[in-house]
Amino acid sequence: IEVDIEVTQGRITALAHRTRGCLLCEAAASAMADQVVGRTLAEALAVCEHMESLMRGGAAPPSLAPFTPVAAHPNRHDCVSLPFRALTIATRLAARDHLEP
């Protein structure tokens, strides 16, 4: 997974991803992109945390509900979580870059 984000005034204004994985991974990456464009970096991180919680059996916001059945299949958790982990890294790097002079 490769994730590139464009951040303007603390909001993700564009996101591109290159996903080379199974269909479940590709679907999760597309859902992730739909969820975070227009959100602040903190809100994007919260979406990532919601997905991790969902994979541990937690409740999902309606936008992530289609992935609820995956929680019952631990061997597929990484397929769904990987795009969100990549976004977490990109978001943290973007936040760091915006704090540096």
Side-chain angles (χ1 to χ4, degrees):
I1 305 276
E2 293 177 29
V3 174
D4 292 313
I5 58 174
E6 183 176 308
V7 178
T8 304
Q9 296 180 340
R11 291 196 175 275
I12 297 175
T13 54
L15 183 146
H17 64 87
R18 181 174 179 210
T19 304
R20 296 168 69 187
C22 67
L23 288 176
L24 190 55
C25 188
E26 290 180 18
S30 292
M32 171 202 67
D34 289 344
Q35 292 300 304
V36 301
V37 173
R39 294 183 185 244
T40 66
L41 295 174
E43 290 168 340
L45 284 173
V47 170
C48 296
E49 290 169 9
H50 285 305
M51 181 54 83
E52 290 296 327
S53 174
L54 175 61
M55 291 300 104
R56 292 190 305 270
S63 59
L64 298 178
F67 296 99
T68 301
V70 179
H73 303 280
N75 60 328
R76 304 303 287 184
H77 287 190
D78 284 342
C79 298
V80 172
S81 297
L82 190 58
F84 292 89
R85 291 179 189 156
L87 177 62
T88 297
I89 293 167
T91 301
R92 289 183 176 153
L93 289 172
R96 182 199 68 194
D97 291 345
H98 286 300
L99 293 177
E100 293 180 3

